[in-house]
Amino acid sequence: MRLKALLFDVDGTLADTEQEGHLPAYNAAFGELGLPWHWSEELYRQELLLLPGGRERIRHYLLKHKPQLGSHGAAIQRDLCAWVNQVHAAKSRWFRHRVEAGKVVLRPGVRRLIVQAHSDGLKLALVTNASQRSLAPFLNHTLGQDLLRCFEFIVSGEQVEHKKPAPDLYLEALSRLGMTTDACLAIEDSAMGLCAAVAAGIRVLVTMNSDTLEHDFTAATAVVSGLGEPENPWNVIRDSGRLNGARWATPSALNLLLDLPESIEA
């Protein structure tokens, strides 16, 4: 087997953290702070999720949509960065509450693949734009310590200069692994993550979700509906015959995505 490492995105890839976790947490935080804002699923999916992080989304919404500010106008004028951090901290608290309440669960096939890949000797890493504050509750309650121990390390958005879609996170992961790109496969759910991995020279398996159905995944090596389970196989959207009829993700099936040489365009 040539495949030696799997690099997992987190939000949307391991779990539906957006619609079940982050979006309701933003709206709860707005209510807590007395902000007359509400982000709809359409706005979040089609516009805000195209930005690389929570603080960027809050700032973008404020500057582009110019919403009502309630009693926050003076604080924003005084120190916009500090104010954005305050809103983001409130959102992170609400996200933690939802995770602790069991609202955010792993997508089908995630636990099985992590356990099997680790047992087979593959190196595993998490490569995510998320902040440590957002990651902590997910890692502790949704992923859990038994699965977390399967991972070599986590590269988060706070550890690099540029988040996805820049390649910095994946380049850092490759450096820590001490591996070449032809031994690694990234598992992503969005065009932003796909662009980041491809720019680093890494092949990508895309596991689509309801937020990313309309994304352009042309650069992906394969696109599937999820990682699949024996009782709930994946739907292969595109793989150019590489997966050879596999019905769910296994290390041996994913190794097939590396077997045929191809050029990866950044």
Side-chain angles (χ1 to χ4, degrees), residues 84-95:
V84 168
N85 286 338
Q86 176 191 0
V87 178
H88 189 262
K91 171 260 173 183
S92 295
R93 288 195 303 273
W94 281 102
F95 178 73

Side-chain angles (χ1 to χ4, degrees), residues 48-57 129-130 163-165 192:
L48 300 176
L49 274 181
L50 301 181
L51 297 163
R55 293 175 181 84
E56 292 88 346
R57 290 168 192 147
N129 276 349
K163 298 179 181 180
K164 304 172 188 179
M192 182 184 300

Side-chain angles (χ1 to χ4, degrees), residues 10 54 66 81 92 96 136 139 145 203 242:
V10 174
K66 304 186 185 306
C81 184
S92 295
R96 184 182 71 247
L139 298 178
Q145 291 302 311
R203 290 175 174 83
R242 292 173 181 268

Side-chain angles (χ1 to χ4, degrees), residues 6-162:
L6 291 176
L7 308 178
F8 289 86
D9 174 52
V10 174
D11 289 316
T13 299
L14 298 186
D16 181 11
T17 53
E18 301 298 353
Q19 294 298 331
E20 298 300 326
H22 291 298
L23 177 56
Y26 281 113
N27 287 327
F30 300 153
E32 173 192 323
L33 297 171
L35 283 164
W37 301 3
H38 179 82
W39 289 356
S40 67
E41 290 187 13
E42 181 180 13
L43 172 68
Y44 194 67
R45 177 180 295 117
Q46 296 183 3
E47 182 176 333
L48 300 176
L49 274 181
L50 301 181
L51 297 163
R55 293 175 181 84
E56 292 88 346
R57 290 168 192 147
I58 295 165
R59 184 187 292 265
H60 170 87
Y61 181 73
L62 174 67
L63 298 179
K64 178 179 178 180
H65 292 270
K66 304 186 185 306
Q68 295 181 9
L69 303 178
S71 61
H72 291 262
I76 292 171
Q77 289 293 327
R78 185 165 56 251
D79 190 335
L80 175 59
C81 184
W83 182 83
V84 168
N85 286 338
Q86 176 191 0
V87 178
H88 189 262
K91 171 260 173 183
S92 295
R93 288 195 303 273
W94 281 102
F95 178 73
R96 184 182 71 247
H97 296 332
R98 293 188 65 82
V99 171
E100 291 174 350
K103 302 291 187 181
V104 179
V105 299
L106 295 177
R107 292 181 67 182
V110 167
R111 175 177 293 276
R112 177 191 49 74
L113 177 60
I114 290 172
V115 171
Q116 186 174 1
H118 178 68
S119 177
D120 286 357
L122 272 65
K123 302 294 185 182
L124 308 180
L126 296 176
V127 183
T128 173
N129 276 349
S131 66
Q132 289 293 332
R133 178 182 287 167
S134 293
L135 275 175
F138 175 83
L139 298 178
N140 291 330
H141 296 278
T142 302
L143 193 64
Q145 291 302 311
D146 59 332
L147 291 186
L148 186 57
R149 282 191 287 268
C150 295
F151 289 87
E152 300 289 314
F153 55 81
I154 302 167
V155 186
S156 66
E158 296 162 322
Q159 299 172 19
V160 296
E161 183 175 358
H162 302 292

Side-chain angles (χ1 to χ4, degrees), residues 8-15 17-18 44-45 48-53 57 107 127-129 163-166 169-170 186-198 204-224 238:
F8 289 86
D9 174 52
V10 174
D11 289 316
T13 299
L14 298 186
T17 53
E18 301 298 353
Y44 194 67
R45 177 180 295 117
L48 300 176
L49 274 181
L50 301 181
L51 297 163
R57 290 168 192 147
R107 292 181 67 182
V127 183
T128 173
N129 276 349
K163 298 179 181 180
K164 304 172 188 179
L169 286 159
Y170 278 107
I187 301 181
E188 284 278 357
D189 73 296
S190 70
M192 182 184 300
L194 169 63
C195 288
V198 169
V204 183
L205 171 70
V206 168
T207 61
M208 297 171 63
N209 61 50
S210 61
D211 287 322
T212 64
L213 294 175
E214 298 179 1
H215 287 202
D216 181 0
F217 294 131
T218 304
T221 302
V223 182
V224 294
R238 180 172 60 78

